[in-house]
Amino acid sequence: MKLESTLLQVGDFAREMADLKNKKHFDFLVTIVGEDFGEEGLGCVYILENTDTYERTSVKVIAEEHDGRPCIPTVTDLWKGAGFLEREVYDFLGIIFLGNKDMRRLFLRNDFVGYPLRKDYDMSPANNQYTLEPDVDPNYTLEYNLDANGILTETKHTLYDEDDYVINIGPQHPSTHGVLRLQTVLDGETIQRVYPHCGYIHRGIEKICEKYDYPQTLALTDRMDYLSAMMNRHALVSVIEEGMGIELTDRIHYIRTIMDELQRINSHLLFYSCCAMDLGALTAFIYGMRDREEVIKVMEETTGGRLIQNYYRIGGCQADIDPNLVKNVKDLCKYMKGVFSEYHDVFTGNVIFNNRFKNVGMLNKEDAISYGCTGGTGRASGWKNDLRKHHAYDLYDKVDFDEITYTHGDSLDRYLVRMDEMEQSVRILEQLIDNIPEGDFYVKQKPVIKVPEGTWYKAVEGSRGEIGVYLHSDGGKSPYRLKFRPMGLSLVSAMDHMLRGEKLADLITVGASLDYVIPDIDR
């Protein structure tokens, strides 16, 4: 959608945002985009959704300087997920959110100098060279506020006491599914608090995109959530195509929908396998990986890739589908329908699995929305948030499939949502595969692609939730600001809430059921 953001003044910001949340029911904070607006100054764009009507809106606020530091009031009192989103903006732009009780960097080292998404940031090689020195974590967070005289003050909040027993799960641990560090405070085996530490593989993708032209940015998307590589790139090319006003052929829409659903099955099979492996169920892991290979083979024939899918491009697809794709997808669908019962026989009905997953890591619907936990995690709590249904794109408004929801919001329901979604993906594929129309697989573009001036946001349904791309173009061949809404950041931000009072072993269960992918979080 093209964004026509309402400009709010800092003095009215807290009241206006409270009205949007409480009176107009914009209860889902989709994302916060921090940006250097040049002469306007530093500021943020907030994208919001009403979860009853699925209406979306956006507001913009320019930070106000206090003691030479840009400041905006926090919205953490309205949306719980704002805590991590505001920390991300602080990390990259140095905007202080007044009232946020945790103004620490989120991705970069504590000793990092400067704020890299500012336009005047020094990109010289001598600045912020990589170091092997330990990154010292302070035992406190900072909260900034204004006193009665408008002077910026800071308050320290202790993270843990001397008597607290603190252990680290990760960053190098097989069940954190990548380099994620979960600093965990324990009382015996009972979890008191969890402090996630992100950024171990942060690669500065959003900053790099400011220097790349639009086709060059595409390769970076496949390396974020590599299990949703198709959907990541789908979101990026879609927002560029919308900005340029490109009309795609029906054949392109069919191909993209088919490829996205193959990618979803691919990802969910790995989710099933990893859930099993994290609990020590080797047989189920082998079943899942065995069948995932069959999906990869079908995709590889057309895209040439197995993990990194360099297939979508601005204006269509890299190449036409393989001549055998139709037959192979039909064979795959027939095969998959025959093995779903095997997965449940081998794993879902296992008494150990049910004891480990049932009533563990509870997340109700209100909290799922407040944290912004989209995808299967939110739908397991009863939140109908499937973009394919409520913000339909490509062929999703022309196929018949069910939006899978459960209501209990525990790890078992998060597991069952994804298992059922694989069956719906097969159902979608069966409706499309025999009806791919003739036509071009690519709409030819100019050698140098430029997007007209403006701001857009486009999102698609990834394997773990909403993948969104915010694009601000100044009319050039490179984006002025490109912001990715990751699926996993909101999931990790909710872990402390979900795990308090649970046992240490339940941390592994909850991490498995959330299904986050670390490069998607870190970018």
Side-chain angles (χ1 to χ4, degrees):
M1 65 177 184
K2 187 175 174 85
L3 299 182
E4 303 290 349
S5 302
T6 303
L7 181 62
L8 302 181
Q9 301 302 314
V10 170
D12 302 326
F13 180 72
R15 175 180 55 80
E16 294 279 4
M17 294 299 277
D19 285 347
L20 284 168
K21 165 75 186 303
N22 300 321
K23 295 181 180 180
K24 298 183 180 179
H25 197 64
F26 284 97
D27 52 341
F28 171 32
L29 175 60
V30 179
T31 192
I32 302 175
V33 183
E35 185 169 351
D36 184 342
F37 292 101
E39 292 183 359
E40 279 189 277
L42 302 174
C44 292
V45 173
Y46 295 72
I47 301 175
L48 307 169
E49 178 178 287
N50 180 321
T51 58
D52 288 341
T53 64
Y54 300 101
E55 175 192 359
R56 290 196 166 181
T57 189
S58 61
V59 299
K60 175 180 173 181
V61 60
I62 300 299
E64 192 174 81
E65 287 207 0
H66 294 277
D67 296 340
R69 305 186 72 178
C71 301
I72 296 174
T74 185
V75 292
T76 51
D77 55 327
L78 301 173
W79 297 279
K80 295 178 180 178
F84 269 43
L85 297 177
E86 290 177 351
R87 283 181 62 190
E88 179 182 11
V89 175
Y90 168 73
D91 198 359
F92 295 142
L93 286 152
I95 298 175
I96 291 173
F97 291 87
L98 303 173
N100 186 317
K101 298 184 184 301
D102 191 359
M103 276 284 91
R104 292 179 294 161
R105 287 191 182 273
L106 184 61
F107 295 113
L108 304 179
R109 289 174 58 103
N110 293 295
D111 58 1
F112 192 91
V113 179
Y115 303 101
L117 284 183
R118 293 187 182 184
K119 295 299 181 180
D120 61 357
Y121 177 72
D122 182 7
M123 292 284 286
S124 64
N127 198 27
N128 283 307
Q129 289 189 357
Y130 182 76
T131 175
L132 296 177
E133 294 299 316
D135 186 14
V136 180
D137 290 322
N139 183 28
Y140 59 84
T141 67
L142 290 176
E143 177 185 357
Y144 293 91
N145 287 287
L146 300 179
D147 65 13
N149 298 315
I151 304 300
L152 191 64
T153 63
E154 63 179 40
T155 304
K156 291 183 178 181
H157 297 289
T158 302
L159 290 170
Y160 45 84
D161 300 322
E162 289 185 3
D163 294 335
D164 284 334
Y165 187 70
V166 184
I167 67 169
N168 288 294
I169 307 296
Q172 293 163 321
H173 188 289
S175 292
T176 55
H177 297 191
V179 280
L180 172 68
R181 174 183 165 212
L182 299 171
Q183 197 174 27
T184 309
V185 182
L186 297 173
D187 179 9
E189 289 192 26
T190 303
I191 296 171
Q192 302 296 304
R193 293 181 301 281
V194 176
Y195 300 118
H197 291 256
C198 307
Y200 284 88
I201 56 171
H202 175 67
R203 290 163 288 182
I205 284 177
E206 293 176 7
K207 185 66 176 179
I208 293 171
C209 287
E210 294 179 6
K211 303 298 182 184
Y212 279 11
D213 60 38
Y214 285 102
Q216 288 176 318
T217 64
L218 301 186
L220 301 175
T221 61
D222 310 321
R223 291 158 175 80
M224 295 190 301
D225 182 350
Y226 40 80
L227 300 175
S228 291
M230 288 289 191
M231 297 85 141
N232 283 336
R233 186 177 285 213
H234 197 161
L236 180 54
V237 296
S238 294
V239 76
I240 296 171
E241 289 161 354
E242 182 174 338
M244 296 176 65
I246 298 173
E247 292 291 332
L248 303 178
T249 66
D250 288 342
R251 184 175 183 83
I252 294 169
H253 289 306
Y254 268 81
I255 294 172
R256 286 186 178 179
T257 307
I258 289 167
M259 286 299 175
D260 277 13
E261 292 310 307
L262 287 170
Q263 181 79 81
R264 197 177 319 279
I265 297 172
N266 175 344
S267 178
H268 286 354
L269 283 173
L270 188 66
F271 162 79
Y272 169 75
S273 302
C274 289
C275 276
M277 193 64 177
D278 288 350
L279 269 63
L282 183 60
T283 301
F285 172 80
I286 293 172
Y287 274 48
M289 295 303 288
R290 173 199 67 187
D291 297 336
R292 180 170 174 262
E293 181 65 23
E294 298 303 312
V295 181
I296 290 173
K297 286 179 182 177
V298 174
M299 298 175 71
E300 185 182 9
E301 285 178 337
T302 291
T303 69
R306 292 173 55 83
L307 186 66
I308 307 301
Q309 305 287 350
N310 298 296
Y311 186 55
Y312 300 156
R313 59 191 294 195
I314 300 165
C317 303
Q318 185 71 29
D320 205 351
I321 56 175
D322 185 85
N324 297 319
L325 180 74
V326 173
K327 175 183 181 302
N328 290 339
V329 168
K330 291 167 73 172
D331 290 345
L332 177 69
C333 290
K334 182 179 179 180
Y335 173 76
M336 291 302 300
K337 289 165 72 174
V339 297
F340 287 136
S341 59
E342 285 187 4
Y343 302 152
H344 296 299
D345 291 342
V346 169
F347 191 54
T348 311
N350 185 286
V351 64
I352 299 174
F353 165 77
N354 278 271
N355 288 339
R356 292 287 305 275
F357 269 59
K358 196 170 184 178
N359 296 323
V360 171
M362 303 294 294
L363 185 69
N364 62 37
K365 179 181 177 181
E366 181 182 354
D367 286 331
I369 295 172
S370 188
Y371 278 104
C373 296
T374 57
T377 298
R379 292 192 286 275
S381 301
W383 176 19
K384 293 184 177 181
N385 59 31
D386 195 326
L387 293 168
R388 298 173 296 174
K389 284 284 188 182
H390 308 296
H391 297 279
Y393 54 96
D394 285 313
L395 270 296
Y396 288 112
D397 57 345
K398 295 179 174 61
V399 292
D400 183 31
F401 69 101
D402 298 329
E403 180 176 8
I404 304 299
T405 58
Y406 284 76
T407 57
H408 197 47
D410 61 357
S411 295
L412 179 60
D413 279 4
R414 290 190 285 274
Y415 165 85
L416 292 173
V417 164
R418 291 170 173 87
M419 298 303 291
D420 291 350
E421 282 185 353
M422 283 194 284
E423 298 187 44
Q424 296 304 314
S425 292
V426 169
R427 186 176 163 192
I428 292 170
L429 289 171
E430 288 183 322
Q431 294 174 64
L432 297 177
I433 197 62
D434 277 329
N435 299 302
I436 302 175
E438 296 296 325
D440 293 329
F441 63 85
Y442 174 65
V443 178
K444 189 174 182 180
Q445 304 301 310
K446 294 180 179 178
V448 177
I449 291 177
K450 293 183 179 181
V451 178
E453 289 186 30
T455 307
W456 293 266
Y457 178 80
K458 182 70 176 179
V460 303
E461 184 67 26
S463 307
R464 272 148 286 285
E466 175 170 338
I467 303 170
V469 180
Y470 167 93
L471 169 62
H472 180 184
S473 172
D474 60 2
K477 63 179 183 179
S478 300
Y480 181 82
R481 174 77 168 100
L482 195 65
K483 156 74 176 172
F484 293 96
R485 183 207 184 271
M487 297 173 284
L489 185 61
S490 56
L491 305 179
V492 170
S493 74
M495 290 190 76
D496 176 58
H497 170 81
M498 298 167 68
L499 284 164
R500 290 195 182 196
E502 303 282 12
K503 299 299 183 184
L504 179 59
D506 296 331
L507 183 149
I508 305 301
T509 295
V510 170
S513 71
L514 290 176
D515 191 30
Y516 48 71
V517 170
I518 308 304
D520 164 65
I521 299 170
D522 285 359
R523 285 158 287 142

